[in-house]
Amino acid sequence: MLQLARLLQLASPALPVGAYTYSQGLEWAVESGVIRDEAGAGRWIADLLHNGIGSYEAPLVVALMAAWSAGDVGEIDCLNAEFLASRESAELRAETAQMGFSMRRLLRDLRDDSLGGVITTVEALPEVAFPTVWSGIAAAWQIDPEAALTAYLWSWAENQVMAALKAVPLGQAAGQRLLADLGRQIPDVTVNRKNWPKTKWSNFTPAFAIACARHETQYSRLFRS
């Protein structure tokens, strides 16, 4: 059960990386009227789950875990650089870099000898993305890749729903309905995207990129991205 406990720790909103401060463009979608209610929030988050994070970040996390397990530092460096380059807006890039920095700092604070190799590798990187460090810890803790990806997607979905609760705003019951629906979709994304070859990876979501860019200059906002 140790791997399960470790996985819950990685997926917990208590992880001190500041994920709760980001909406990834959702706040602008609310401001612009694209999201007005529970149904709109559900469509927005589900679309990103299948066509954004599910089509690019999901297979990348699995590939990173494989690289960490194999000790392939060159592949880790390459995937880290590619993910940083894939962030379309300044704040999206800052988000993953800031959360990656927080995860890198947490590595030493955990005082776990099993993370020594991860510490050495990420400290050699000039800038590290959040999924790079997260997947390194998951691999070092010998968490099953499919379970790890499911938890990674759940954590992302939970953060998006929490942002919708504040920005729309929605009630707690609506948030739980959204999470229940997204939870039903996550296993399918995990199974179908975990072994995607790089030739199929795609983060082509132009409306999402525009929302993130416009959020940067939004007059009044609660979230950093």
Side-chain angles (χ1 to χ4, degrees), residues 116-170:
V118 182
I119 293 172
T120 300
T121 299
V122 300
E123 288 191 346
L125 297 172
E127 192 171 36
V128 62
F130 173 71
T132 303
V133 193
W134 195 97
S135 61
I137 297 175
W141 282 346
Q142 299 180 355
I143 296 170
D144 174 73
E146 189 169 300
L149 180 56
T150 300
Y152 187 91
L153 294 173
W154 171 264
S155 181
W156 171 84
E158 185 177 39
N159 191 66
Q160 286 286 287
V161 169
M162 291 303 295
L165 292 186
K166 298 173 185 176
V168 174
L170 300 174

Side-chain angles (χ1 to χ4, degrees), residues 78 96 99 106-108 110 114 119-120 141 160 162 168 191 195 205-206 210 213-214 220:
C78 178
T96 196
M99 289 174 62
L106 179 64
L107 277 171
R108 288 199 177 277
L110 287 171
S114 69
I119 293 172
T120 300
W141 282 346
Q160 286 286 287
M162 291 303 295
V168 174
V191 170
N195 294 320
T205 48
I210 291 169
R214 290 186 174 177
S220 176

Side-chain angles (χ1 to χ4, degrees), residues 9-19 103 106 130 134:
Q9 182 179 356
L10 279 175
S12 171
L15 199 69
V17 294
M103 283 292 280
L106 179 64
F130 173 71
W134 195 97

Side-chain angles (χ1 to χ4, degrees), residues 176-189:
Q176 289 304 308
R177 286 192 295 268
L178 288 172
L179 284 173
D181 185 52
L182 291 164
R184 283 189 289 269
Q185 299 176 56
I186 285 173
D188 180 63
V189 175

Side-chain angles (χ1 to χ4, degrees), residues 36-207:
R36 299 175 181 271
D37 51 22
E38 178 183 341
R43 284 192 299 272
W44 177 273
I45 300 170
D47 282 349
L48 281 178
L49 173 64
H50 290 279
N51 303 311
I53 188 171
S55 296
Y56 182 75
E57 203 162 334
L60 176 117
V61 166
V62 176
L64 276 166
M65 286 191 68
W68 280 110
S69 296
D72 190 342
V73 176
E75 180 68 359
I76 293 166
D77 186 28
C78 178
L79 290 170
N80 179 70
E82 287 180 2
F83 186 75
L84 287 169
S86 76
R87 303 299 84 190
E88 299 97 330
S89 73
E91 287 193 356
L92 267 183
R93 192 182 193 285
E95 173 187 343
T96 196
Q98 289 162 3
M99 289 174 62
F101 175 82
S102 297
M103 283 292 280
R104 178 161 55 184
R105 184 173 56 191
L106 179 64
L107 277 171
R108 288 199 177 277
D109 292 340
L110 287 171
R111 301 174 186 175
D112 185 337
D113 292 339
S114 69
L115 300 176
V118 182
I119 293 172
T120 300
T121 299
V122 300
E123 288 191 346
L125 297 172
E127 192 171 36
V128 62
F130 173 71
T132 303
V133 193
W134 195 97
S135 61
I137 297 175
W141 282 346
Q142 299 180 355
I143 296 170
D144 174 73
E146 189 169 300
L149 180 56
T150 300
Y152 187 91
L153 294 173
W154 171 264
S155 181
W156 171 84
E158 185 177 39
N159 191 66
Q160 286 286 287
V161 169
M162 291 303 295
L165 292 186
K166 298 173 185 176
V168 174
L170 300 174
Q172 294 296 326
Q176 289 304 308
R177 286 192 295 268
L178 288 172
L179 284 173
D181 185 52
L182 291 164
R184 283 189 289 269
Q185 299 176 56
I186 285 173
D188 180 63
V189 175
T190 297
V191 170
N192 291 327
R193 310 294 174 82
K194 65 178 181 178
N195 294 320
W196 265 20
K198 279 190 177 182
T199 53
K200 295 188 70 174
W201 295 8
S202 173
N203 69 326
F204 183 68
T205 48

